Structures are given as structure tokens and as C-alpha cells.
Amino acid sequence: NHPFPVTHVAYPRAGLGVAPPPFGPIERVVPGPGVRFDLGGDILATSAARADAWLRTIGWFAEHLPA
């Protein structure tokens, strides 16, 4: 337990590329240090998850940070 509210959101079929803001390109395979990483998931599901996660992030900022 901790004093902060938590919301767990699952995005079925989305890959690991959910974290960036939703307006950039979505790639399943990205370069790494001497390797390439396959982020998995379905491109459309990842795109929808990115958009939803970004809107939730903006909403959290609006609610918790002073204007």
C-alpha cells in the first residue's frame, strides 16, 4: 500500500512501443546498441494504446499539476 492512487490499464495485443507520445511513427523493430529490438504487438492495437495512454497522461497532468 502507498498513499497514491493507481490505475492499471491493460492494452491487449499492444506491443512494448506504447510509451512514446502517439503522434510519431510506430515501428515494431527498433535499433538498439548493436542489436535490433522487436517490440511485438499489433501495429493498430499499439497505435490505439499509445493514443489512450497519452490522453490519460495529459489528463493526469491537468488534474494534479498547477496551471
Side-chain angles (χ1 to χ4, degrees):
N1 290 334
H2 58 82
F4 305 105
V6 174
T7 302
H8 177 84
V9 181
Y11 297 108
R13 298 184 331 272
L16 298 175
V18 172
F23 305 111
I26 295 181
E27 299 182 30
R28 269 199 47 181
V29 179
V30 297
V35 296
R36 295 182 61 73
F37 296 107
D38 185 341
L39 302 178
D42 173 78
I43 295 293
L44 292 177
T46 301
S47 177
R50 283 174 79 172
D52 181 68
W54 187 245
L55 290 175
R56 288 173 181 273
T57 300
I58 298 293
W60 188 92
F61 287 149
E63 181 179 344
H64 296 284
L65 299 178

Short mmCIF file of all heavy atoms in Angstrom, two decimals:
data_model
loop_
_atom_site.label_atom_id
_atom_site.label_comp_id
_atom_site.label_asym_id
_atom_site.label_seq_id
_atom_site.Cartn_x
_atom_site.Cartn_y
_atom_site.Cartn_z
N ASN A 1 0.84 -1.19 0.00
CA ASN A 1 0.00 0.00 0.00
C ASN A 1 0.88 1.25 0.00
O ASN A 1 1.92 1.30 0.64
CB ASN A 1 -0.90 0.02 1.22
CG ASN A 1 -1.97 -1.04 1.15
OD1 ASN A 1 -2.35 -1.48 0.07
ND2 ASN A 1 -2.47 -1.47 2.29
N HIS A 2 0.39 2.27 -0.67
CA HIS A 2 1.05 3.57 -0.65
C HIS A 2 -0.01 4.64 -0.81
O HIS A 2 -1.16 4.34 -1.16
CB HIS A 2 2.13 3.67 -1.73
CG HIS A 2 1.62 3.43 -3.11
ND1 HIS A 2 1.00 4.41 -3.84
CD2 HIS A 2 1.64 2.34 -3.90
CE1 HIS A 2 0.66 3.92 -5.02
NE2 HIS A 2 1.03 2.69 -5.08
N PRO A 3 0.33 5.90 -0.55
CA PRO A 3 -0.69 6.94 -0.47
C PRO A 3 -1.18 7.48 -1.83
O PRO A 3 -1.98 8.39 -1.85
CB PRO A 3 0.02 8.04 0.32
CG PRO A 3 1.45 7.86 -0.01
CD PRO A 3 1.64 6.38 -0.14
N PHE A 4 -0.71 6.93 -2.92
CA PHE A 4 -1.06 7.50 -4.22
C PHE A 4 -2.04 6.58 -4.96
O PHE A 4 -1.89 5.36 -4.93
CB PHE A 4 0.19 7.70 -5.07
CG PHE A 4 1.22 8.55 -4.39
CD1 PHE A 4 2.36 7.98 -3.85
CD2 PHE A 4 1.04 9.92 -4.25
CE1 PHE A 4 3.31 8.76 -3.21
CE2 PHE A 4 1.97 10.70 -3.60
CZ PHE A 4 3.11 10.12 -3.08
N PRO A 5 -3.01 7.17 -5.64
CA PRO A 5 -3.94 6.33 -6.41
C PRO A 5 -3.24 5.68 -7.60
O PRO A 5 -2.31 6.25 -8.17
CB PRO A 5 -5.01 7.32 -6.88
CG PRO A 5 -4.35 8.65 -6.86
CD PRO A 5 -3.30 8.59 -5.76
N VAL A 6 -3.67 4.49 -7.92
CA VAL A 6 -3.08 3.73 -9.03
C VAL A 6 -4.20 3.28 -9.95
O VAL A 6 -5.24 2.81 -9.49
CB VAL A 6 -2.32 2.50 -8.52
CG1 VAL A 6 -1.84 1.64 -9.67
CG2 VAL A 6 -1.16 2.91 -7.63
N THR A 7 -3.99 3.43 -11.25
CA THR A 7 -4.90 2.90 -12.24
C THR A 7 -4.11 1.97 -13.14
O THR A 7 -3.14 2.40 -13.76
CB THR A 7 -5.53 4.01 -13.09
OG1 THR A 7 -6.22 4.92 -12.24
CG2 THR A 7 -6.49 3.45 -14.11
N HIS A 8 -4.48 0.71 -13.16
CA HIS A 8 -3.82 -0.25 -14.04
C HIS A 8 -4.63 -0.34 -15.32
O HIS A 8 -5.83 -0.58 -15.28
CB HIS A 8 -3.73 -1.62 -13.37
CG HIS A 8 -3.12 -2.65 -14.27
ND1 HIS A 8 -1.76 -2.80 -14.40
CD2 HIS A 8 -3.68 -3.54 -15.09
CE1 HIS A 8 -1.51 -3.75 -15.27
NE2 HIS A 8 -2.67 -4.22 -15.70
N VAL A 9 -3.97 -0.14 -16.44
CA VAL A 9 -4.64 -0.21 -17.73
C VAL A 9 -3.91 -1.25 -18.57
O VAL A 9 -2.70 -1.18 -18.75
CB VAL A 9 -4.62 1.16 -18.45
CG1 VAL A 9 -5.33 1.07 -19.79
CG2 VAL A 9 -5.25 2.23 -17.58
N ALA A 10 -4.65 -2.22 -19.09
CA ALA A 10 -4.07 -3.24 -19.97
C ALA A 10 -4.52 -2.97 -21.40
O ALA A 10 -5.68 -2.60 -21.64
CB ALA A 10 -4.52 -4.62 -19.53
N TYR A 11 -3.60 -3.13 -22.31
CA TYR A 11 -3.89 -2.93 -23.73
C TYR A 11 -3.63 -4.25 -24.46
O TYR A 11 -2.51 -4.52 -24.90
CB TYR A 11 -3.01 -1.83 -24.31
CG TYR A 11 -3.23 -0.47 -23.68
CD1 TYR A 11 -2.30 0.09 -22.83
CD2 TYR A 11 -4.39 0.25 -23.94
CE1 TYR A 11 -2.50 1.34 -22.26
CE2 TYR A 11 -4.62 1.49 -23.38
CZ TYR A 11 -3.66 2.03 -22.54
OH TYR A 11 -3.87 3.26 -21.98
N PRO A 12 -4.66 -5.08 -24.61
CA PRO A 12 -4.49 -6.36 -25.29
C PRO A 12 -3.95 -6.16 -26.71
O PRO A 12 -4.32 -5.22 -27.41
CB PRO A 12 -5.89 -6.96 -25.32
CG PRO A 12 -6.61 -6.29 -24.19
CD PRO A 12 -6.03 -4.90 -24.12
N ARG A 13 -3.05 -7.02 -27.09
CA ARG A 13 -2.43 -7.07 -28.43
C ARG A 13 -1.48 -5.91 -28.70
O ARG A 13 -0.89 -5.84 -29.77
CB ARG A 13 -3.50 -7.16 -29.53
CG ARG A 13 -4.35 -8.41 -29.45
CD ARG A 13 -5.35 -8.55 -30.59
NE ARG A 13 -5.84 -7.33 -31.17
CZ ARG A 13 -6.89 -6.61 -30.75
NH1 ARG A 13 -7.58 -7.01 -29.72
NH2 ARG A 13 -7.26 -5.52 -31.37
N ALA A 14 -1.34 -4.95 -27.77
CA ALA A 14 -0.39 -3.85 -27.97
C ALA A 14 1.02 -4.33 -27.64
O ALA A 14 1.21 -5.16 -26.76
CB ALA A 14 -0.76 -2.66 -27.10
N GLY A 15 1.98 -3.78 -28.34
CA GLY A 15 3.38 -4.12 -28.09
C GLY A 15 4.00 -3.20 -27.05
O GLY A 15 3.32 -2.41 -26.39
N LEU A 16 5.32 -3.29 -26.93
CA LEU A 16 6.03 -2.51 -25.93
C LEU A 16 6.26 -1.06 -26.36
O LEU A 16 6.81 -0.29 -25.60
CB LEU A 16 7.37 -3.18 -25.62
CG LEU A 16 7.27 -4.57 -25.02
CD1 LEU A 16 8.64 -5.18 -24.87
CD2 LEU A 16 6.55 -4.54 -23.70
N GLY A 17 5.86 -0.68 -27.55
CA GLY A 17 6.04 0.69 -28.03
C GLY A 17 4.92 1.63 -27.61
O GLY A 17 4.67 2.63 -28.28
N VAL A 18 4.25 1.34 -26.51
CA VAL A 18 3.13 2.16 -26.05
C VAL A 18 3.60 3.48 -25.43
O VAL A 18 2.92 4.48 -25.50
CB VAL A 18 2.26 1.37 -25.04
CG1 VAL A 18 1.22 2.26 -24.40
CG2 VAL A 18 1.60 0.21 -25.74
N ALA A 19 4.78 3.50 -24.85
CA ALA A 19 5.23 4.64 -24.05
C ALA A 19 5.37 5.97 -24.79
O ALA A 19 5.00 7.00 -24.22
CB ALA A 19 6.54 4.31 -23.36
N PRO A 20 5.87 6.05 -26.01
CA PRO A 20 6.06 7.37 -26.63
C PRO A 20 4.73 8.07 -26.89
O PRO A 20 3.69 7.42 -26.99
CB PRO A 20 6.76 7.06 -27.95
CG PRO A 20 7.30 5.69 -27.81
CD PRO A 20 6.40 4.99 -26.84
N PRO A 21 4.76 9.41 -27.04
CA PRO A 21 3.54 10.12 -27.45
C PRO A 21 3.00 9.54 -28.75
O PRO A 21 3.76 8.99 -29.54
CB PRO A 21 4.00 11.56 -27.63
CG PRO A 21 5.20 11.68 -26.75
CD PRO A 21 5.86 10.32 -26.80
N PRO A 22 1.70 9.67 -28.99
CA PRO A 22 1.06 8.94 -30.08
C PRO A 22 1.28 9.48 -31.49
O PRO A 22 0.80 8.89 -32.43
CB PRO A 22 -0.42 9.02 -29.71
CG PRO A 22 -0.53 10.33 -29.01
CD PRO A 22 0.75 10.44 -28.22
N PHE A 23 1.97 10.57 -31.65
CA PHE A 23 1.97 11.19 -32.96
C PHE A 23 3.19 10.87 -33.81
O PHE A 23 3.33 11.35 -34.91
CB PHE A 23 1.81 12.71 -32.81
CG PHE A 23 0.57 13.04 -32.02
CD1 PHE A 23 0.67 13.58 -30.76
CD2 PHE A 23 -0.69 12.75 -32.51
CE1 PHE A 23 -0.46 13.86 -30.02
CE2 PHE A 23 -1.83 13.02 -31.78
CZ PHE A 23 -1.71 13.59 -30.53
N GLY A 24 4.10 10.07 -33.29
CA GLY A 24 5.27 9.68 -34.07
C GLY A 24 5.01 8.38 -34.81
O GLY A 24 3.96 7.76 -34.67
N PRO A 25 5.98 7.95 -35.59
CA PRO A 25 5.81 6.67 -36.31
C PRO A 25 5.82 5.50 -35.34
O PRO A 25 6.43 5.56 -34.28
CB PRO A 25 7.03 6.63 -37.23
CG PRO A 25 8.03 7.51 -36.57
CD PRO A 25 7.25 8.57 -35.85
N ILE A 26 5.12 4.47 -35.71
CA ILE A 26 5.09 3.26 -34.91
C ILE A 26 5.87 2.20 -35.65
O ILE A 26 5.58 1.88 -36.79
CB ILE A 26 3.65 2.79 -34.66
CG1 ILE A 26 2.92 3.82 -33.82
CG2 ILE A 26 3.63 1.43 -34.00
CD1 ILE A 26 1.51 3.47 -33.50
N GLU A 27 6.87 1.69 -34.98
CA GLU A 27 7.69 0.64 -35.56
C GLU A 27 7.76 -0.52 -34.60
O GLU A 27 7.88 -0.33 -33.40
CB GLU A 27 9.09 1.16 -35.85
CG GLU A 27 9.10 2.32 -36.83
CD GLU A 27 10.50 2.81 -37.14
OE1 GLU A 27 11.42 1.97 -37.09
OE2 GLU A 27 10.65 3.98 -37.43
N ARG A 28 7.67 -1.73 -35.13
CA ARG A 28 7.78 -2.91 -34.27
C ARG A 28 9.22 -3.23 -33.95
O ARG A 28 9.53 -3.74 -32.88
CB ARG A 28 7.15 -4.12 -34.96
CG ARG A 28 5.68 -4.26 -34.62
CD ARG A 28 5.18 -5.63 -34.90
NE ARG A 28 6.08 -6.65 -34.37
CZ ARG A 28 5.87 -7.93 -34.51
NH1 ARG A 28 4.83 -8.35 -35.15
NH2 ARG A 28 6.71 -8.80 -34.03
N VAL A 29 10.10 -2.98 -34.88
CA VAL A 29 11.52 -3.29 -34.68
C VAL A 29 12.28 -1.98 -34.63
O VAL A 29 12.18 -1.15 -35.53
CB VAL A 29 12.05 -4.20 -35.80
CG1 VAL A 29 13.52 -4.51 -35.58
CG2 VAL A 29 11.24 -5.50 -35.86
N VAL A 30 13.02 -1.77 -33.54
CA VAL A 30 13.76 -0.51 -33.35
C VAL A 30 15.23 -0.81 -33.09
O VAL A 30 15.58 -1.87 -32.57
CB VAL A 30 13.17 0.32 -32.18
CG1 VAL A 30 11.74 0.73 -32.48
CG2 VAL A 30 13.23 -0.46 -30.88
N PRO A 31 16.10 0.13 -33.45
CA PRO A 31 17.53 -0.11 -33.23
C PRO A 31 17.90 0.00 -31.76
O PRO A 31 17.32 0.79 -31.01
CB PRO A 31 18.20 0.99 -34.05
CG PRO A 31 17.17 2.07 -34.16
CD PRO A 31 15.84 1.38 -34.14
N GLY A 32 18.87 -0.80 -31.37
CA GLY A 32 19.43 -0.75 -30.02
C GLY A 32 20.94 -0.70 -30.14
O GLY A 32 21.48 -0.58 -31.23
N PRO A 33 21.64 -0.84 -29.04
CA PRO A 33 23.10 -0.78 -29.07
C PRO A 33 23.71 -2.05 -29.69
O PRO A 33 23.99 -3.02 -28.99
CB PRO A 33 23.48 -0.64 -27.59
CG PRO A 33 22.34 -1.25 -26.86
CD PRO A 33 21.12 -0.99 -27.70
N GLY A 34 23.85 -2.05 -31.00
CA GLY A 34 24.41 -3.20 -31.70
C GLY A 34 23.42 -4.31 -32.00
O GLY A 34 23.80 -5.35 -32.51
N VAL A 35 22.16 -4.09 -31.67
CA VAL A 35 21.11 -5.08 -31.92
C VAL A 35 19.84 -4.36 -32.37
O VAL A 35 19.78 -3.15 -32.36
CB VAL A 35 20.79 -5.92 -30.65
CG1 VAL A 35 21.98 -6.73 -30.22
CG2 VAL A 35 20.32 -5.02 -29.52
N ARG A 36 18.85 -5.14 -32.73
CA ARG A 36 17.54 -4.57 -33.03
C ARG A 36 16.53 -5.23 -32.09
O ARG A 36 16.59 -6.42 -31.85
CB ARG A 36 17.18 -4.78 -34.49
CG ARG A 36 18.14 -4.02 -35.40
CD ARG A 36 17.83 -4.14 -36.87
NE ARG A 36 16.53 -3.65 -37.28
CZ ARG A 36 16.16 -2.38 -37.38
NH1 ARG A 36 16.98 -1.44 -37.05
NH2 ARG A 36 14.96 -2.05 -37.80
N PHE A 37 15.62 -4.43 -31.54
CA PHE A 37 14.62 -4.93 -30.60
C PHE A 37 13.27 -5.04 -31.29
O PHE A 37 12.80 -4.09 -31.92
CB PHE A 37 14.47 -3.99 -29.40
CG PHE A 37 15.71 -3.89 -28.56
CD1 PHE A 37 16.50 -2.77 -28.59
CD2 PHE A 37 16.07 -4.94 -27.73
CE1 PHE A 37 17.63 -2.67 -27.82
CE2 PHE A 37 17.20 -4.86 -26.95
CZ PHE A 37 17.99 -3.72 -26.99
N ASP A 38 12.64 -6.21 -31.17
CA ASP A 38 11.29 -6.41 -31.67
C ASP A 38 10.34 -6.12 -30.52
O ASP A 38 10.32 -6.84 -29.52
CB ASP A 38 11.10 -7.83 -32.17
CG ASP A 38 9.75 -8.06 -32.82
OD1 ASP A 38 8.81 -7.27 -32.58
OD2 ASP A 38 9.62 -9.03 -33.58
N LEU A 39 9.56 -5.04 -30.64
CA LEU A 39 8.66 -4.61 -29.57
C LEU A 39 7.35 -5.39 -29.55
O LEU A 39 6.55 -5.24 -28.64
CB LEU A 39 8.38 -3.11 -29.69
CG LEU A 39 9.61 -2.22 -29.66
CD1 LEU A 39 9.20 -0.77 -29.83
CD2 LEU A 39 10.41 -2.42 -28.39
N GLY A 40 7.13 -6.21 -30.56
CA GLY A 40 5.97 -7.08 -30.60
C GLY A 40 4.66 -6.33 -30.74
O GLY A 40 4.62 -5.12 -30.94
N GLY A 41 3.58 -7.07 -30.62
CA GLY A 41 2.25 -6.48 -30.67
C GLY A 41 1.76 -6.21 -32.07
O GLY A 41 2.47 -6.34 -33.05
N ASP A 42 0.50 -5.86 -32.12
CA ASP A 42 -0.17 -5.49 -33.36
C ASP A 42 -0.05 -3.98 -33.55
O ASP A 42 -0.27 -3.22 -32.60
CB ASP A 42 -1.64 -5.92 -33.25
CG ASP A 42 -2.47 -5.46 -34.41
OD1 ASP A 42 -2.37 -6.08 -35.48
OD2 ASP A 42 -3.21 -4.46 -34.24
N ILE A 43 0.29 -3.53 -34.76
CA ILE A 43 0.50 -2.10 -35.01
C ILE A 43 -0.74 -1.28 -34.68
O ILE A 43 -0.64 -0.22 -34.05
CB ILE A 43 0.94 -1.87 -36.47
CG1 ILE A 43 2.30 -2.52 -36.73
CG2 ILE A 43 0.95 -0.41 -36.83
CD1 ILE A 43 3.45 -1.87 -35.99
N LEU A 44 -1.93 -1.72 -35.09
CA LEU A 44 -3.15 -0.95 -34.81
C LEU A 44 -3.46 -0.92 -33.32
O LEU A 44 -3.87 0.11 -32.79
CB LEU A 44 -4.33 -1.51 -35.61
CG LEU A 44 -4.24 -1.33 -37.12
CD1 LEU A 44 -5.43 -1.99 -37.81
CD2 LEU A 44 -4.16 0.14 -37.48
N ALA A 45 -3.27 -2.05 -32.64
CA ALA A 45 -3.52 -2.08 -31.19
C ALA A 45 -2.52 -1.18 -30.45
O ALA A 45 -2.88 -0.48 -29.51
CB ALA A 45 -3.44 -3.51 -30.68
N THR A 46 -1.26 -1.20 -30.89
CA THR A 46 -0.25 -0.35 -30.27
C THR A 46 -0.56 1.12 -30.50
O THR A 46 -0.43 1.95 -29.60
CB THR A 46 1.16 -0.69 -30.80
OG1 THR A 46 1.42 -2.08 -30.51
CG2 THR A 46 2.23 0.17 -30.17
N SER A 47 -1.00 1.45 -31.70
CA SER A 47 -1.38 2.83 -32.02
C SER A 47 -2.53 3.31 -31.13
O SER A 47 -2.48 4.41 -30.57
CB SER A 47 -1.77 2.93 -33.49
OG SER A 47 -2.21 4.22 -33.81
N ALA A 48 -3.54 2.50 -30.98
CA ALA A 48 -4.69 2.86 -30.13
C ALA A 48 -4.25 2.98 -28.67
O ALA A 48 -4.68 3.91 -27.96
CB ALA A 48 -5.80 1.83 -30.28
N ALA A 49 -3.39 2.09 -28.22
CA ALA A 49 -2.90 2.14 -26.84
C ALA A 49 -2.08 3.40 -26.60
O ALA A 49 -2.21 4.04 -25.55
CB ALA A 49 -2.07 0.89 -26.55
N ARG A 50 -1.23 3.76 -27.56
CA ARG A 50 -0.42 4.98 -27.41
C ARG A 50 -1.31 6.21 -27.29
O ARG A 50 -1.07 7.09 -26.46
CB ARG A 50 0.51 5.14 -28.61
CG ARG A 50 1.72 4.25 -28.55
CD ARG A 50 2.55 4.33 -29.79
NE ARG A 50 3.38 5.52 -29.79
CZ ARG A 50 4.31 5.76 -30.70
NH1 ARG A 50 4.53 4.90 -31.68
NH2 ARG A 50 5.02 6.86 -30.63
N ALA A 51 -2.34 6.28 -28.13
CA ALA A 51 -3.24 7.43 -28.09
C ALA A 51 -3.96 7.50 -26.74
O ALA A 51 -4.05 8.57 -26.12
CB ALA A 51 -4.24 7.35 -29.23
N ASP A 52 -4.47 6.36 -26.27
CA ASP A 52 -5.18 6.35 -24.99
C ASP A 52 -4.25 6.69 -23.84
O ASP A 52 -4.60 7.48 -22.96
CB ASP A 52 -5.82 4.98 -24.77
CG ASP A 52 -6.58 4.94 -23.46
OD1 ASP A 52 -7.63 5.63 -23.35
OD2 ASP A 52 -6.13 4.25 -22.53
N ALA A 53 -3.05 6.10 -23.83
CA ALA A 53 -2.10 6.37 -22.75
C ALA A 53 -1.70 7.84 -22.72
O ALA A 53 -1.56 8.44 -21.65
CB ALA A 53 -0.87 5.48 -22.92
N TRP A 54 -1.55 8.45 -23.90
CA TRP A 54 -1.18 9.87 -23.96
C TRP A 54 -2.31 10.74 -23.41
O TRP A 54 -2.07 11.67 -22.63
CB TRP A 54 -0.83 10.26 -25.38
CG TRP A 54 -0.30 11.64 -25.48
CD1 TRP A 54 -0.87 12.70 -26.12
CD2 TRP A 54 0.92 12.16 -24.92
NE1 TRP A 54 -0.09 13.82 -26.00
CE2 TRP A 54 1.02 13.51 -25.27
CE3 TRP A 54 1.94 11.60 -24.15
CZ2 TRP A 54 2.09 14.31 -24.86
CZ3 TRP A 54 3.00 12.39 -23.76
CH2 TRP A 54 3.06 13.72 -24.12
N LEU A 55 -3.54 10.44 -23.78
CA LEU A 55 -4.68 11.21 -23.26
C LEU A 55 -4.79 11.06 -21.74
O LEU A 55 -5.09 12.03 -21.04
CB LEU A 55 -5.98 10.78 -23.94
CG LEU A 55 -6.10 11.17 -25.41
CD1 LEU A 55 -7.36 10.57 -26.01
CD2 LEU A 55 -6.07 12.68 -25.59
N ARG A 56 -4.54 9.87 -21.23
CA ARG A 56 -4.56 9.66 -19.78
C ARG A 56 -3.45 10.45 -19.10
O ARG A 56 -3.64 11.01 -18.01
CB ARG A 56 -4.41 8.18 -19.45
CG ARG A 56 -5.64 7.36 -19.79
CD ARG A 56 -5.33 5.86 -19.57
NE ARG A 56 -6.46 5.05 -19.90
CZ ARG A 56 -7.44 4.75 -19.05
NH1 ARG A 56 -7.41 5.20 -17.82
NH2 ARG A 56 -8.44 4.01 -19.44
N THR A 57 -2.28 10.51 -19.73
CA THR A 57 -1.15 11.26 -19.18
C THR A 57 -1.47 12.74 -19.12
O THR A 57 -1.26 13.40 -18.09
CB THR A 57 0.12 11.03 -20.03
OG1 THR A 57 0.42 9.63 -20.02
CG2 THR A 57 1.30 11.81 -19.50
N ILE A 58 -1.99 13.29 -20.21
CA ILE A 58 -2.37 14.71 -20.26
C ILE A 58 -3.44 15.00 -19.21
O ILE A 58 -3.39 16.02 -18.52
CB ILE A 58 -2.89 15.08 -21.66
CG1 ILE A 58 -1.80 14.89 -22.71
CG2 ILE A 58 -3.43 16.50 -21.70
CD1 ILE A 58 -0.64 15.82 -22.59
N GLY A 59 -4.40 14.10 -19.07
CA GLY A 59 -5.45 14.28 -18.06
C GLY A 59 -4.90 14.28 -16.65
O GLY A 59 -5.32 15.07 -15.81
N TRP A 60 -3.91 13.41 -16.39
CA TRP A 60 -3.29 13.36 -15.07
C TRP A 60 -2.58 14.68 -14.78
O TRP A 60 -2.71 15.24 -13.69
CB TRP A 60 -2.32 12.19 -14.97
CG TRP A 60 -1.80 11.98 -13.59
CD1 TRP A 60 -2.33 11.17 -12.64
CD2 TRP A 60 -0.68 12.64 -12.99
NE1 TRP A 60 -1.59 11.26 -11.48
CE2 TRP A 60 -0.57 12.17 -11.67
CE3 TRP A 60 0.24 13.58 -13.43
CZ2 TRP A 60 0.43 12.59 -10.80
CZ3 TRP A 60 1.23 14.01 -12.57
CH2 TRP A 60 1.31 13.51 -11.27
N PHE A 61 -1.82 15.18 -15.76
CA PHE A 61 -1.14 16.47 -15.58
C PHE A 61 -2.13 17.58 -15.29
O PHE A 61 -1.94 18.40 -14.40
CB PHE A 61 -0.32 16.83 -16.82
CG PHE A 61 0.93 16.02 -16.99
CD1 PHE A 61 1.41 15.75 -18.26
CD2 PHE A 61 1.64 15.52 -15.92
CE1 PHE A 61 2.58 15.02 -18.45
CE2 PHE A 61 2.81 14.79 -16.09
CZ PHE A 61 3.27 14.53 -17.36
N ALA A 62 -3.22 17.62 -16.05
CA ALA A 62 -4.22 18.67 -15.86
C ALA A 62 -4.85 18.60 -14.47
O ALA A 62 -5.15 19.63 -13.87
CB ALA A 62 -5.30 18.55 -16.94
N GLU A 63 -5.02 17.40 -13.97
CA GLU A 63 -5.65 17.23 -12.66
C GLU A 63 -4.70 17.51 -11.49
O GLU A 63 -5.10 18.08 -10.48
CB GLU A 63 -6.19 15.81 -12.52
CG GLU A 63 -6.90 15.53 -11.22
CD GLU A 63 -7.43 14.11 -11.14
OE1 GLU A 63 -7.52 13.43 -12.17
OE2 GLU A 63 -7.75 13.70 -10.00
N HIS A 64 -3.43 17.15 -11.64
CA HIS A 64 -2.51 17.17 -10.49
C HIS A 64 -1.47 18.27 -10.49
O HIS A 64 -0.85 18.50 -9.46
CB HIS A 64 -1.81 15.82 -10.38
CG HIS A 64 -2.75 14.69 -10.10
ND1 HIS A 64 -3.29 14.48 -8.86
CD2 HIS A 64 -3.25 13.73 -10.90
CE1 HIS A 64 -4.09 13.42 -8.90
NE2 HIS A 64 -4.08 12.96 -10.13
N LEU A 65 -1.26 18.94 -11.61
CA LEU A 65 -0.25 19.99 -11.65
C LEU A 65 -0.92 21.36 -11.70
O LEU A 65 -1.93 21.54 -12.39
CB LEU A 65 0.66 19.82 -12.86
CG LEU A 65 1.46 18.51 -12.90
CD1 LEU A 65 2.29 18.44 -14.17
CD2 LEU A 65 2.35 18.38 -11.68
N PRO A 66 -0.38 22.34 -10.99
CA PRO A 66 -0.99 23.68 -11.02
C PRO A 66 -0.87 24.31 -12.41
O PRO A 66 0.10 24.07 -13.12
CB PRO A 66 -0.20 24.46 -9.98
CG PRO A 66 1.07 23.72 -9.80
CD PRO A 66 0.80 22.28 -10.14
N ALA A 67 -1.84 25.10 -12.76
CA ALA A 67 -1.85 25.77 -14.07
C ALA A 67 -0.86 26.91 -14.12
O ALA A 67 -0.49 27.50 -13.17
CB ALA A 67 -3.24 26.28 -14.39
#
